[in-house]
Amino acid sequence: MKRSTSLLIKKIAIYISAIIVFVWTALPLYWMIATAFRPEREIYEGLVIPKQLSLNSILAIFGFGEEYITVGSTITPYMINSTYISIIVMVVSTILGVLGGYALARMRFPGKDILSSLSLFAYVFPTVVIMVPIFYLFSMWKLVNSPTGLILALLSHTLPYTLWMLRGFFQTIPVDIEEAAFIDGCNRIKTIIRIVFPLSTPGIVATATYAFILSWNNVLFPLILISRTDLQVVSIGILNYMKADFVPWDRLMAASFVATLPPTLLFFAIQRYIVAGLTAGAVKR
Amino acid sequence: MRLKTREALEGYTFSTPAFLLLFLVLFFPFAYVIYISFFSKTFGYEPVFAGLKNYFLIISDPVFKYSLYISTLYTVVAVLFKLLLGLAFAILFAQEFKGRTLVRTVAVIPWGIPLFVVAALFFWFFDYNLGLANAILKALFGVKIFWLGPDWVVPSIIYVNVWKGIPFFMVNFLGALQTIPRSLYEAAEIDGASAWERFRHITIPGIKYVMLIVCLLSTIWTFGEFDTIFFLTRGGPGYLTHIVPIYIYHQAFSNFNVGTAAAASVISVPIFLALISVILWALRR
């Protein structure tokens, strides 16, 4: 009797906690979605629950149904810039990360441990510390207001990550398999292409995807390096909506919703690999 | 012997592209920030050697002292809340209940959302007249507060950071909890250990290392966090949310004082280095 009562109390406590967790997390998200998908006038009526649904705000940020379109008033160029810059950053940091990460995981050479630690240091280190010299040096090197400059700066953030993560993934591949390939007469390059790549594809894809996310989500580098609206990326596009004297709430939330979709969906696709990532050393022992 | 040299050569060939690039965009800028911190330098003018003048200027600047104070307060309080709530969330999701997958998925979303979107989201959520936060307060208690006004801005930015940061703690803790053998709990229950004793003597020791690493990583990232506060308050109202990264930004890009901005960056480095060294140590053991 007593046991069943305490079980019931436990059950009720669990469900109440679950509801609190759900509401705590979902409220701000609900508010974004509710604002992005309702008619603009409803926002100013102070309604918490939308009466009508509308796609007007989403269409408006892409310039549909707008009378005046100037550079920067729609989110389209920002989205295009973010996409291609993040793709280049992803590709470069993955290729260099695979090469470097493999060397750090498998090859024996003096200085290897220092380079490994250095890549973790570099990844964990907050980028604010190099904000000033990046701007100063890139001004001298004529890399301000240039996509190349932004890509290089972003690589300072993504490359240490891909190096460290891929090193970890390569370390999980049993050495025996590679040694067997060596004995069968494969050279280093052949072994990597035929044995290591196929075995670590999920890890490489997840790491590349996260490099894309890191690049898409970055605020600091486009903020200090890009002042031309036509070259700007979506994170600063959102900031420009927020800076207006009268914030266009529906547009801001519609743009936020659109800007958050690519990184968030990608994040959920690779989430279980990321979680295994940084703290892996501690769990695995 | 020849084989060893060959392997070392291969190792350098593989890792050189990555570390050469990192040298250019990260290690050299990092060295340069230290160098330039000894010069008086305004954008557009030649630097003049100033010795330790920038450091004395900064240390005697009451705004910088306040920045260090508010950064520390922000970091310590936010990490503490993330630790406690992350642990509570993890323990909740370690239980079985209907709808667990759905609630857990929702609870992870903040991790996947970019910081700049989180900022836009709460900018609107906290809006005095039309935001949901005040709509709820008004309905429940009949009051409204200026979330980003002088009285509430510090708790509000901490709230935003905690909301965004909990899933990182939760997911890592959940993973660690699953590595604790069930039999330990069953044995303890048979021995008559209370729920608190089981938590204290089985759960906590079982996730100790993950806790340490997650807390340290989060401490570094919270201390270096720039995006949400820059978007939400620009360091204001007044200097109330002038955390160190915002201070560096304003010194460099509002006051155009490269030297003092560099000195402020350099001063925060030892804090990060110490924390990262502990992480490296914990991952190695």
Side-chain angles (χ1 to χ4, degrees):
Chain A
M1 188 62 201
K2 196 175 156 269
R3 195 171 166 77
S4 70
T5 339
S6 80
L7 270 180
L8 185 71
I9 291 172
K10 193 184 166 192
K11 215 169 182 182
I12 293 170
I14 286 177
Y15 279 101
I16 291 175
S17 318
I19 291 167
I20 292 173
V21 167
F22 184 84
V23 171
W24 151 279
T25 316
L27 268 187
L29 298 171
Y30 162 79
W31 197 228
M32 167 173 76
I33 293 165
T35 309
F37 291 96
R38 65 159 76 173
E40 196 187 347
R41 66 185 147 71
E42 262 196 31
I43 294 164
Y44 301 97
E45 290 168 14
L47 292 174
V48 169
I49 295 158
K51 270 191 284 191
Q52 270 180 294
L53 294 180
S54 157
L55 282 176
N56 281 347
S57 306
I58 299 278
L59 292 172
I61 55 164
F62 288 106
F64 297 104
E66 294 282 89
E67 271 179 64
Y68 304 104
I69 296 171
T70 53
V71 181
S73 72
T74 71
I75 198 180
T76 322
Y78 298 135
M79 290 291 282
I80 294 171
N81 290 337
S82 272
T83 308
Y84 94 82
I85 283 177
S86 303
I87 287 177
I88 297 175
V89 170
M90 173 181 80
V91 170
V92 176
S93 46
T94 306
I95 294 173
L96 298 186
V98 164
L99 292 174
Y102 182 79
L104 295 180
R106 275 290 185 271
M107 295 165 170
R108 271 161 300 190
F109 56 95
K112 186 180 90 160
D113 289 337
I114 297 173
L115 290 182
S116 299
S117 303
L118 215 55
S119 59
L120 178 68
F121 259 81
Y123 169 56
V124 175
F125 223 81
T127 39
V128 282
V129 173
I130 57 159
M131 152 168 80
V132 174
I134 285 277
F135 178 79
Y136 186 65
L137 291 169
F138 279 32
S139 306
M140 289 200 299
W141 298 340
K142 304 270 176 289
L143 287 171
V144 168
N145 269 327
S146 121
T148 317
L150 181 55
I151 288 165
L152 283 172
L154 288 167
L155 281 168
S156 75
H157 189 43
T158 57
L159 188 52
Y161 173 78
T162 54
L163 278 170
W164 178 255
M165 289 299 276
L166 289 168
R167 170 184 172 271
F169 280 119
F170 291 141
Q171 274 176 340
T172 61
I173 300 171
V175 189
D176 315 1
I177 303 180
E178 273 177 72
E179 277 167 0
F182 274 132
I183 292 164
D184 290 348
C186 281
N187 62 24
R188 184 67 86 173
I189 304 287
K190 262 190 193 164
T191 317
I192 293 177
I193 293 172
R194 295 215 186 130
I195 312 286
V196 181
F197 270 5
L199 283 173
S200 48
T201 308
I204 296 175
V205 171
T207 308
T209 310
Y210 202 65
F212 179 94
I213 296 174
L214 283 177
S215 160
W216 182 284
N217 293 1
N218 193 282
V219 163
L220 198 61
F221 292 130
L223 178 72
I224 61 172
L225 291 178
I226 307 284
S227 59
R228 269 171 56 186
T229 316
D230 58 324
L231 297 176
Q232 197 49 282
V233 296
V234 76
S235 51
I236 306 301
I238 298 284
L239 180 66
N240 291 342
Y241 279 108
M242 291 169 71
K243 275 199 305 203
D245 288 335
F246 295 97
V247 182
W249 293 114
D250 65 314
R251 310 288 155 91
L252 176 62
M253 286 303 108
S256 299
F257 180 77
V258 171
T260 202
L261 277 184
T264 309
L265 294 178
L266 290 172
F267 174 83
F268 272 94
I270 57 160
Q271 195 216 334
R272 66 195 181 95
Y273 296 101
I274 303 178
V275 175
L278 265 176
T279 55
V283 190
K284 235 168 19 200
R285 285 178 314 122
Chain B
M1 197 60 212
R2 243 195 79 234
L3 205 70
K4 217 173 156 187
T5 327
R6 206 193 132 144
E7 195 177 331
L9 268 178
E10 277 181 335
Y12 290 125
T13 318
F14 273 58
S15 46
T16 300
F19 284 97
L20 203 63
L21 188 63
L22 279 185
F23 177 79
L24 188 73
V25 295
L26 189 62
F27 304 135
F28 179 64
F30 184 69
Y32 201 80
V33 74
I34 300 172
Y35 168 77
I36 202 77
S37 71
F38 297 111
F39 287 84
S40 282
K41 163 84 182 113
T42 306
F43 285 125
Y45 293 90
E46 283 301 306
V48 181
F49 184 74
L52 290 171
K53 193 176 140 228
N54 289 322
Y55 289 91
F56 289 125
L57 275 176
I58 283 206
I59 291 168
S60 58
D61 181 359
V63 178
F64 185 67
K65 274 184 211 151
Y66 179 78
S67 289
L68 280 177
Y69 158 75
I70 198 71
S71 266
T72 311
L73 179 85
Y74 171 70
T75 307
V76 170
V77 176
V79 172
L80 201 66
F81 271 102
K82 285 186 279 192
L83 170 65
L84 293 176
L85 290 172
L87 191 56
F89 281 28
I91 289 169
L92 171 69
F93 291 120
Q95 318 295 319
E96 287 196 19
F97 58 90
K98 274 202 197 94
R100 180 172 69 165
T101 315
L102 171 77
V103 181
R104 195 179 52 203
T105 309
V106 171
V108 174
I109 293 176
W111 188 1
I113 298 182
L115 280 167
F116 67 87
V117 171
V118 171
L121 204 66
F122 277 96
F123 196 50
W124 173 222
F125 189 72
F126 284 153
D127 184 68
Y128 182 77
N129 289 316
L130 299 163
L132 185 60
N134 271 348
I136 293 170
L137 275 189
K138 190 127 205 324
L140 291 178
F141 307 107
V143 289
K144 282 178 164 189
I145 59 176
F146 285 103
W147 290 90
L148 299 176
D151 295 336
W152 289 97
V153 68
V154 174
S156 296
I157 57 166
I158 291 174
Y159 177 90
V160 174
N161 185 277
V162 171
W163 184 85
K164 161 83 179 153
I166 286 176
F168 175 66
F169 285 70
M170 175 190 99
V171 171
N172 279 302
F173 289 168
L174 201 53
L177 284 178
Q178 279 152 1
T179 62
I180 303 174
R182 284 227 74 83
S183 54
L184 279 181
Y185 287 102
E186 282 155 14
E189 207 161 351
I190 291 165
D191 291 345
S194 69
W196 168 252
E197 281 169 334
R198 273 174 279 155
F199 176 75
R200 174 74 189 76
H201 296 291
I202 301 174
T203 311
I204 294 293
I207 62 170
K208 207 168 57 183
Y209 286 104
V210 174
M211 257 162 93
L212 176 71
I213 291 165
V214 167
C215 282
L216 288 169
L217 281 174
S218 180
T219 304
I220 296 168
W221 289 332
T222 309
F223 198 89
E225 213 250 292
F226 172 83
D227 305 9
T228 45
I229 296 179
F230 183 75
F231 274 41
L232 280 170
T233 71
R234 295 293 175 100
Y239 288 108
L240 278 174
T241 57
H242 230 69
I243 52 163
V244 173
I246 301 267
Y247 180 87
I248 298 171
Y249 177 86
H250 276 302
Q251 283 296 323
F253 299 102
S254 307
N255 303 342
F256 305 109
N257 213 329
V258 181
T260 48
S265 312
V266 174
I267 285 181
S268 49
V269 167
I271 305 171
F272 297 132
L273 283 184
L275 292 166
I276 298 170
S277 305
V278 183
I279 296 179
L280 271 177
W281 168 82
L283 283 175
R284 282 270 163 75
R285 42 165 297 138

